[in-house]
């Protein structure tokens, strides 16, 4: 036992050392590429940012700031309940919708574990937030900042990626225009990962798991579960890299833009972000089974298991 523990410890040390070595080699390689005379033309032609469309608005309106916060806040509950579903523990309570009032269906409602019920409640709010964001994005012209419109976004994103890897941050001022790598990842997160989470989530929900149809045969529950899980891993990885870059590429300026709608280096954005972070951490701890069960009892038949 002890010996295998020691072996495992050494393996971990070797793994961390190898990862560090690869990171150092990566940074050195990126610097060499940046400095290579043969590539000077490439980097001056593709500095990392596409041309800003003239009609694109500047800055972040209040609705966008709120929706960005609500998205992250709701994801706290979505991720927590998703992990609880995956852990397959016995749910602390079972919830059955009362089939009366606004949503009355022919098929009797299915009994759901408390975590699945809560996951679906918060998903509904998250999707609602997303739909409002989509509508306002296109109505306000903000989509022009997010969606790449020319193919040179690809070489520009490669250029920006090499600059990030070399720790020579590409020029970026999110208030004015995102760099190409930001555009690609923000657009993929909003227009691909979000809708895919919804489609795969619906496939796992009682709407489809109880049905046999062309769609359910082509798109199996196992495939949907795998993809749904992969999307969560993407969301978490995106958030870690996103927040790391927000903090390391001019934290005050970036946080002011997204949390206070200001284009300066005061401390207000950081203060608002800190409060929002406290709210999110509180959310994680407050959403306990006892509270959720009481919430579920408003309008549903609930069977407590303890
Ligand atoms: C957009 C709307 C969404 C819907 C309708 C939805 C729906 C569902 C449903 C029905 C399940 C399966 C419950 C069961 O096994 O009985 C599930 C599982 C899960 N969801 Fe979602 N979900 C959504 C979004 C998300 C998002 C955005 C995330 C993470 C960022 C997420 C993470 C998870 C995880 C980790 C599981 C457990 C998967 C497993 O068992 O391997 N979901 N979701
Ligand atoms: C809670 C910590 C977070 C912080 C501090 C943060 C901060 C920011 C900032 C400062 C910007 C503007 C970028 C710039 O000016 O360069 C931004 C944009 C964006 N963030 Fe976050 N973010 C957080 C969480 C998230 C999460 C969890 C997601 C999604 C999973 C997300 C998705 C986005 C998207 C899509 C944009 C572009 C929005 C647009 O312009 O319409 N963020 N974020």
């Amino acid at each position: 036992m002890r010996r295998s523990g020691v072996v495992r410890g050494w393996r971990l040390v070797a793994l961390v050392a190898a990862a560090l070595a690869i990171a150092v080699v990566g940074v050195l390689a990126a610097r060499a590429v940046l400095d290579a005379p043969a590539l000077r033309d490439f980097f001056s032609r593709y500095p990392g940012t596409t041309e800003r469309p003239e009609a694109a608005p500047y800055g972040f309106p209040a609705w966008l700031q709120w929706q960005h916060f609500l998205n992250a806040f709701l994801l706290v509950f979505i991720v927590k309940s998703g992990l609880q579903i995956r852990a397959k523990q016995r749910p602390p309570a079972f919830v059955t919708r009362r089939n009366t009032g606004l949503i009355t269906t022919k098929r009797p409602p299915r009994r759901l574990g408390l975590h699945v019920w809560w996951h679906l409640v918060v998903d509904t709010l998250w999707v609602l937030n997303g739909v409002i964001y989509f509508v306002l994005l296109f109505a306000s012209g903000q989509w022009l900042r997010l969606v790449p419109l020319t193919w040179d976004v690809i070489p520009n994103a490669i250029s920006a990626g090499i600059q990030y890897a070399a720790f020579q941050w590409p020029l970026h001022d999110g208030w004015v225009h995102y760099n190409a790598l930001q555009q690609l990842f923000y657009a993929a997160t909003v227009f691909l990962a979000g809708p895919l989470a919804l489609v795969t989530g619906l496939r796992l929900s009682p709407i489809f798991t109880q049905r046999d149809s062309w769609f359910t045969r082509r798109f199996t529950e196992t495939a949907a579960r795998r993809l749904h899980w992969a999307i969560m891993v993407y969301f978490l990885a995106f958030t870690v890299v996103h927040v790391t870059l927000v903090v390391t590429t001019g934290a005050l300026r970036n946080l002011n833009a997204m949390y206070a709608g200001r284009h300066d280096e005061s401390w207000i954005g950081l203060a608002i972000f800190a409060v929002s972070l406290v709210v999110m951490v509180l959310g994680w701890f407050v959403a306990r089974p006892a509270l959720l069960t009481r919430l579920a009892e408003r309008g549903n038949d609930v069977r407590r298991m303890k």
Side-chain angles (χ1 to χ4, degrees), residues 75 78-79 82-83 85-86 116 119-120 123 126-127 197-198 201-202 204-205 225 228-229 232 235:
L75 274 172
I78 295 180
V79 168
L83 293 177
I85 296 168
R86 195 173 167 85
V116 176
H119 192 69
L120 290 174
D123 290 337
W126 187 71
V127 170
L198 174 61
L202 284 179
L204 294 176
S205 77
R225 198 173 292 278
H228 201 66
W229 172 250
M232 190 192 84
F235 268 117

Side-chain angles (χ1 to χ4, degrees), residues 5-305:
V6 172
V7 171
R8 241 181 278 138
W10 274 113
R11 248 195 229 155
L12 189 68
V13 171
L15 221 79
V16 171
L20 273 177
I22 291 172
V24 170
V25 171
V27 174
L28 291 177
R31 294 225 156 162
V33 171
L34 264 187
D35 293 338
L39 291 173
R40 216 160 274 161
D41 270 358
F42 173 82
F43 286 106
S44 60
R45 195 151 163 223
Y46 303 113
T49 308
T50 57
E51 201 175 317
R52 179 182 175 280
E54 257 186 36
Y58 289 94
F60 300 94
W63 61 263
L64 199 148
Q65 297 165 35
W66 271 103
Q67 295 204 285
H68 177 266
F69 161 69
L70 280 175
N71 165 64
F73 176 64
L74 295 172
L75 274 172
V76 168
F77 303 109
I78 295 180
V79 168
K80 184 176 178 188
S81 54
L83 293 177
Q84 284 167 326
I85 296 168
R86 195 173 167 85
K88 290 206 170 89
Q89 284 161 359
R90 191 168 167 69
F94 286 93
V95 184
T96 315
R97 181 168 58 83
R98 276 184 214 134
N99 206 12
T100 53
L102 201 61
I103 308 171
T104 314
T105 51
K106 259 198 235 148
R107 223 187 276 252
R110 215 174 79 178
R111 195 179 74 145
L112 300 174
L114 182 71
H115 302 312
V116 176
W117 170 79
W118 178 235
H119 192 69
L120 290 174
V121 169
V122 191
D123 290 337
T124 310
L125 298 175
W126 187 71
V127 170
L128 197 70
N129 186 52
V131 169
I132 297 172
Y133 171 68
F134 270 41
V135 172
L136 292 177
L137 204 64
F138 286 100
S140 64
Q142 283 283 339
W143 69 277
L144 284 167
R145 299 157 47 86
L146 217 61
V147 180
L149 294 174
T150 47
W151 282 111
D152 69 343
V153 70
I154 308 276
N156 269 308
I158 294 171
S159 163
I162 294 170
Q163 295 174 63
Y164 276 123
F167 279 93
Q168 293 183 7
W169 301 142
L171 268 185
H172 119 269
D173 186 356
W175 186 267
V176 178
H177 192 38
Y178 291 136
N179 70 41
L181 211 53
Q182 280 181 302
Q183 277 192 320
L184 284 185
F185 273 96
Y186 292 164
T189 305
V190 171
F191 298 110
L192 282 179
L196 266 178
L198 174 61
V199 172
T200 50
L202 284 179
R203 175 63 185 89
L204 294 176
S205 77
I207 301 175
F208 284 106
T209 43
Q210 286 173 312
R211 257 171 230 210
D212 181 37
S213 68
W214 180 89
F215 176 67
T216 54
R217 263 172 271 139
R218 295 286 148 109
F219 188 30
T220 62
E221 196 179 323
T222 316
R225 198 173 292 278
R226 271 202 203 127
L227 202 55
H228 201 66
W229 172 250
I231 293 162
M232 190 192 84
V233 173
Y234 169 78
F235 268 117
L236 292 183
F238 167 84
T239 305
V240 169
V241 177
H242 174 55
V243 178
T244 306
L245 287 175
V246 164
V247 174
T248 52
T249 60
L252 291 182
R253 189 168 277 270
N254 291 336
L255 290 172
N256 267 336
M258 189 46 103
Y259 284 82
R262 298 166 66 106
H263 194 211
D264 60 28
E265 294 199 354
S266 60
W267 290 77
I268 297 174
L270 177 68
I272 298 176
F273 169 62
V275 173
S276 85
L277 205 58
V278 171
V279 171
M280 293 200 305
V281 173
L282 277 179
W284 178 278
F285 289 107
V286 167
R288 292 233 177 89
L291 181 80
L292 298 184
T293 307
R294 257 184 280 139
L295 216 64
E297 276 165 348
R298 297 171 173 228
N300 300 286
D301 292 322
V302 177
R303 188 150 166 240
R304 291 170 185 253
M305 300 316 287

